């Protein structure tokens, strides 16, 4: 569960299934499946105010399943959890 503040300053709590981390030229990004929105999302890590590990098991999702718009300067690498 992420506590996240969007670009307009609105705070939300979101359950997100992790898919990957990536860096752009100005910041880091967390890529995941947002259960609140029911779609892939890109979260700027500097806007994450808190995180908690839930007991739920996250479904395996590939980067291709996210189908979300990405910042132009993003470099994508898959996140493998073991």
């Amino acid at each position: 569960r992420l506590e996240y503040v969007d670009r307009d300053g609105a705070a939300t709590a979101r359950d997100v299934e992790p898919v990957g981390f990536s860096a752009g030229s100005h910041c880091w990004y967390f890529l995941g499946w947002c259960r609140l929105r029911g779609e892939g999302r890109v979260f700027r890590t500097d806007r994450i105010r808190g995180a908690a590990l839930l007991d739920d098991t996250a479904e395996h999702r590939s980067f291709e399943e996210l189908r979300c718009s990405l910042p132009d300067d993003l470099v994508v690498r898959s996140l493998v959890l073991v």
Side-chain angles (χ1 to χ4, degrees), residues 18-19 53 57-58 60 78-82:
V19 175
L53 183 61
T57 301
H60 174 75
S78 295
L79 175 65
V80 177
L81 300 175
V82 290

Side-chain angles (χ1 to χ4, degrees), residues 16-55:
V16 180
E17 299 170 13
V19 175
F21 280 97
S22 187
S25 58
H26 299 347
C27 64
W28 280 87
Y29 297 96
F30 172 77
L31 294 82
W33 182 262
C34 179
R35 292 180 177 171
L36 175 68
R37 302 288 185 217
E39 61 187 10
R41 298 295 247 204
V42 177
F43 300 93
R44 284 180 44 161
T45 57
D46 60 332
R47 293 184 182 155
I48 296 173
R49 299 294 180 247
L53 183 61
L54 303 178
D55 290 332

